[in-house]
Amino acid sequence: YVELSSIVTLRVTTDTFVANQNMSRELKDMFRDSVLTNANIRIRKRNPYTSGEMTTIQDWTSDGIIISSEDTILYTWDTQSLDKGDYVVEVNYQALEQTFYSEEFSLVLR
């Protein structure tokens, strides 16, 4: 839950698994840190009066996205001009030239 009219930092964590047994421990640790690039976020609002229709609040954008050294995606979300309701957040990012999409997750503004 998020307080309406607040400014919050959304944090999306990611996990990277390296299964190459020939790679040194130090190299595996370096690979795990800062492997994400080109992260984007999309925020949509569920319409409570329809079955599944959503309104796009923030279309895919990389503006304001920060990727931490632990590959956590950070986005500062200003809810001051929004209405109460159920919002759906999704991110995508690149790792090793492949694009990955997170599962959608809900946030409730109240």
Side-chain angles (χ1 to χ4, degrees):
Y1 293 93
V2 175
E3 247 351 273
L4 185 62
S5 298
S6 63
I7 299 174
V8 297
T9 300
L10 302 179
R11 291 174 175 82
V12 180
T13 59
T14 62
D15 292 318
T16 305
F17 179 75
V18 180
N20 185 338
Q21 58 183 278
N22 297 328
M23 190 181 290
S24 71
R25 177 74 149 174
E26 293 79 21
L27 194 54
K28 285 180 184 179
D29 289 341
M30 282 178 32
F31 176 80
R32 285 187 186 110
D33 293 335
S34 302
V35 73
L36 301 188
T37 59
N38 302 327
N40 296 283
I41 191 165
R42 176 174 67 175
I43 302 173
R44 297 179 294 163
K45 183 179 182 198
R46 292 186 200 274
N47 186 336
Y49 304 109
T50 64
S51 58
E53 184 179 326
M54 289 193 247
T55 302
T56 299
I57 302 301
Q58 174 65 60
D59 207 0
W60 289 113
T61 185
S62 61
D63 292 345
I65 294 281
I66 297 170
I67 302 173
S68 74
S69 60
E70 294 84 23
D71 289 332
T72 298
I73 299 167
L74 306 167
Y75 179 73
T76 302
W77 189 32
D78 184 350
T79 67
Q80 294 182 38
S81 64
L82 300 175
D83 297 323
K84 291 181 180 181
D86 186 17
Y87 291 79
V88 177
V89 177
E90 184 180 17
V91 298
N92 70 31
Y93 56 88
Q94 289 185 334
L96 301 175
E97 300 180 5
Q98 294 185 37
T99 302
F100 296 90
Y101 288 82
S102 71
E103 292 186 26
E104 295 178 336
F105 60 94
S106 291
L107 291 173
V108 177
L109 285 183
R110 59 179 183 169

